[in-house]
Amino acid sequence: MDYVNPSELIAEAVRAAKRKAQLSVRDMLLRGALAGAFLGFATSLVFMVQVQGVPPIVGAILFPVGFVMLVLLGLELATGNFALLPAAAAAGEVTLGRLLRNWCWVYLGNLAGSTAYALLFYLALTNCGTNNGGPVGDLLRAAAQKKTLGYLAAGGAGWATALVKAVLCNWMVTVGTLLAMVSRSTVGKIAAMWLPILTFFAQGFEHSIVNMFVIPAGMLLQAPVSFGTWWFWNQIPVTMGNIFAGSLLTGLALYSTFGVKPAAQPKAPAAEPEMAEFAAQ
């Protein structure tokens, strides 16, 4: 059958996480960079479509193309790994050190790929800096400011809002990561993972890797956002929220109810008194 039931799904997720934990630093960086670039492609596609006056839901319907491409190619996305590795750790298949090693290197790779694509997109959009990017540039500048200065203006409540939006975002993203394994066919995988990714994007929640493209692209287009403002008012709280949702609300939650626990070893029966006396002689 094409469908993979939840218990088998979690078992496969644990096996996948174990493989991810054993990757070399080179592979984590390279696969992470490619994944970051592909999400950048998907995000810039949404901005290109939005300036054509279509309803916002159209952009949300299109955005999952980037996620689909990186998953089918077996690339590394930190936000997905925020769920997979904790489930494997709970199963005793991955150590905490290996978990943190994967998260850090993949996150760094995602950052490198996303910002590199932001630079390339900026050069393409502005004819290598000879114009301001037109309507797409206006949208990117506005988005970068909304994701940083908008939270700054609200103070502590803004920081907390970014955190909560990140929790809601990666709850859906990590469900998409797992649903990519719920089918054995390529078409089934695409359909299953498309649903939660569309759901998060349509509601404007905060994804740390998407923001690694949007905010730097806006900064290159002269949005008045500093590096410190980007990280303190967006990247840090959003990453924290993504980790919380992926680890607790998806990875550990689903493992706790569907994961196969190691069977307890039965205790050896106590020897009968007569047998014990015979053995002692």
Side-chain angles (χ1 to χ4, degrees), residues 227-271:
F227 181 86
T229 301
W230 163 28
W231 277 84
F232 185 78
W233 291 100
N234 185 284
Q235 204 64 43
I236 291 175
V238 170
T239 300
M240 291 173 60
N242 287 171
I243 290 173
F244 176 87
S247 299
L248 296 180
L249 302 183
T250 301
L252 295 178
L254 292 177
Y255 177 78
S256 68
T257 187
F258 291 116
V260 177
K261 315 303 186 298
Q265 294 296 324
K267 294 182 178 180

Side-chain angles (χ1 to χ4, degrees), residues 35-36 39-40 43-44 47 63 77 79 107 110-118 140 142-148 151 161-163 165-167 169-170 200-201 204-220 225-227 229-242:
L39 277 194
T43 308
S44 63
F47 281 96
F63 174 76
L77 189 66
T79 47
Y107 190 88
N110 291 161
L111 178 62
S114 298
T115 53
Y117 178 74
L140 275 168
Q145 293 178 75
K146 180 181 178 180
K147 287 176 173 291
T148 54
Y151 294 136
T161 299
L163 179 73
K165 285 185 175 182
V167 170
C169 164
N170 213 36
F200 107 75
F201 198 88
F205 297 145
E206 294 284 355
H207 189 269
S208 56
I209 315 305
V210 169
N211 292 346
M212 290 174 182
F213 162 74
V214 174
I215 299 174
M219 293 165 65
L220 288 168
V225 177
S226 68
F227 181 86
T229 301
W230 163 28
W231 277 84
F232 185 78
W233 291 100
N234 185 284
Q235 204 64 43
I236 291 175
V238 170
T239 300
M240 291 173 60
N242 287 171

Side-chain angles (χ1 to χ4, degrees), residues 6-219:
S7 295
E8 294 173 333
L9 173 64
I10 296 304
E12 177 56 33
V14 168
R15 289 191 291 270
K18 187 176 180 180
R19 293 192 296 268
K20 289 173 178 290
Q22 295 170 347
L23 289 173
S24 67
V25 171
R26 172 186 174 277
D27 284 339
M28 287 187 284
L29 285 173
L30 182 55
R31 296 180 193 185
L34 291 172
F38 285 4
L39 277 194
F41 268 105
T43 308
S44 63
L45 171 64
V46 173
F47 281 96
M48 297 294 287
V49 169
Q50 284 180 339
V51 299
Q52 299 175 30
V54 299
I57 189 63
V58 175
I61 291 171
L62 293 175
F63 174 76
V65 298
F67 188 81
V68 167
M69 288 189 291
L70 71 90
V71 169
L72 293 182
L73 282 173
L75 302 180
E76 293 292 312
L77 189 66
T79 47
N81 290 357
F82 291 161
L84 296 178
L85 275 293
E93 297 291 342
V94 172
T95 65
L96 178 60
R98 284 282 174 173
L99 177 149
L100 294 175
R101 172 181 177 271
N102 177 275
W103 283 4
C104 291
W105 286 114
V106 171
Y107 190 88
L108 183 60
N110 291 161
L111 178 62
S114 298
T115 53
Y117 178 74
L119 174 60
L120 292 173
F121 184 75
Y122 160 77
L123 293 173
L125 185 67
T126 64
N127 291 332
C128 291
T130 59
N131 62 61
N132 68 355
V136 176
D138 293 339
L139 277 180
L140 275 168
R141 280 186 291 271
Q145 293 178 75
K146 180 181 178 180
K147 287 176 173 291
T148 54
L149 302 180
Y151 294 136
L152 171 62
W159 201 93
T161 299
L163 179 73
V164 172
K165 285 185 175 182
V167 170
L168 295 173
C169 164
N170 213 36
W171 198 348
M172 286 292 96
V173 171
T174 49
V175 168
T177 300
L178 288 174
L179 287 183
M181 306 176 195
V182 81
S183 169
R184 294 185 174 89
S185 71
T186 301
V187 173
K189 289 175 181 291
I190 293 172
M193 68 178 106
W194 204 284
L195 303 176
I197 304 304
L198 184 159
T199 299
F200 107 75
F201 198 88
Q203 297 182 74
F205 297 145
E206 294 284 355
H207 189 269
S208 56
I209 315 305
V210 169
N211 292 346
M212 290 174 182
F213 162 74
V214 174
I215 299 174
M219 293 165 65

